[in-house]
Amino acid sequence: MNELHYPSRLRLALPFLAAILALVGLAQAQPGGAGPTRLAGIFGDNMVLQREARVNVWGWDAPGTRIQLSSSWGATAEATADESGYWKAVLETAEAGGPHVLTVEGVDTVHVRNILLGEVWLASGQSNMEMPMRGFGNQPITDSQRELLNANKPMIRTFRVDRNRSDDPAQDLNGTWHVGSPATLKEFSAVAYFFADTLLGQLDVPIGMIGSYWGGTVIEAWMKEEVLAGNFADEELHTPGRQPGRSTLYNGMIHPLIPFTIKGVIWYQGESNRNRPQYYRRLLAAMVESWRTEWRQGDFPFYYVQISPYDYDGRHAVGTALLREAQLQALDDIPNAGMVVSLDYGNCLCIHPFDKRPIGERLAYWALKHQYGFDFLQAAGPVLREMTIEGNQAILSFDNAPNGIISRYERLDEFQIAGSNRIFSPATAFVNRNGTLTVMAPEVTEPVAVRYAFRNCPQATLFNTEGLPASSFRTDDW
């Protein structure tokens, strides 16, 4: 919570003032109240504000109160509380740095201290995003002790949104900004921390990470009800009874963040939608479009992680391969988006892969390349461009492999090939000098389709020379 500083006489008078306001009908029941000056819950000591931007600042006060904002970096702004007590102002921020103080004057004076100006990102999704640096019970984070020993990072600031499911859009939320240290970061998302740590290492500016995540949740819970009703009225979209229901996490944990100024979003979710992969492509695109519309910050970057291999209902079944396919296809529907493939860091026996640093780093590659000018970086793994048939061989070519493709292992396993009978056989695959890939099997003399790693728990073998894996894929639609 923000620290409130009341002049002593006013502090004594506040109970009487509230009673008077109630009598005249002005003390309305609103988040933040219609009494003493209060900022929205996302604002607090130790926070990060987006640098060199017009940032939104809002809160509540007595209706009609004139609000004056001033900052130690020199920017000022004004607003007036409306009839419900709500006010919002736009404040210009300066170049990266700090610490700074923001002062808000209304009925009372509020000081927000130790503010840094830098880069602000939202991390959201389900348990693989939620998994903290300390790990889960019996599920560690790789090298967590060494990572935490090196996690004295005061330029990284974190804010975790308290869990809240709500049937109606909430106007405020709870949480606290923390200065990055081993004690605070061990409780925060490992993926989000590794993302922030990679950005910090390259940009040398403060990084603010807002964590709004909840394990075991479906994407529908993170979507506005009007979006679901308007776009999926003819489909039966449901959530299991034990989970937060549709729109409840959007209402309780996303809506009250809006319109806090952010640079972009990282997202890791999909496991709980694996039984309905046919909807996921449209759901993800609709969610992103809706969030961007609500935030009114244009098409801010949205970078997400493809779900990892795991033995859900048999490691050779294809259920999660279909979900990964939907996530890959969604890239065609979402502007300014990028996807991290985690096919090489799955764990068939644990739904929460232990090694989270590579995932956070790969998310950071997207941001560094496309938001911060690191043009030389390769952010994406190989993506199938086309297949041609030459006799009994299928020849595959790929995008996102400027220097070619490789296997990390002795053989390019995980390939299957089928003829017109639609029966897939294990295939031999090898890289050609021109960077294409040949796939063949002795029993398939007239191939028509190829699949790669198209099962629940495959082992990634196909990479570009930058070390980024290809997604599972298929050329058929059977």
Side-chain angles (χ1 to χ4, degrees), residues 346-360:
N347 186 327
C348 290
L349 301 178
C350 183
I351 197 172
H352 304 121
F354 305 153
D355 203 347
K356 291 292 194 282
R357 176 170 279 280
I359 306 305

Side-chain angles (χ1 to χ4, degrees), residues 74-142:
T76 62
E78 293 185 353
T80 300
D82 66 17
E83 62 182 11
S84 71
Y86 174 81
W87 58 266
K88 186 181 78 169
V90 177
L91 195 67
E92 299 271 357
T93 55
E95 62 185 11
H100 290 291
V101 176
L102 172 64
T103 299
V104 180
E105 296 178 272
V107 170
D108 310 307
T109 298
V110 177
H111 300 290
V112 185
R113 297 183 170 87
N114 196 26
I115 298 172
L116 298 181
L117 304 183
E119 295 297 297
V120 182
W121 288 79
L122 170 62
S124 190
Q126 59 179 113
S127 57
N128 268 307
M129 181 63 84
E130 181 179 30
M131 191 175 189
M133 286 291 291
R134 61 173 169 78
F136 289 141
N138 302 317
Q139 299 175 13
I141 293 293
T142 301

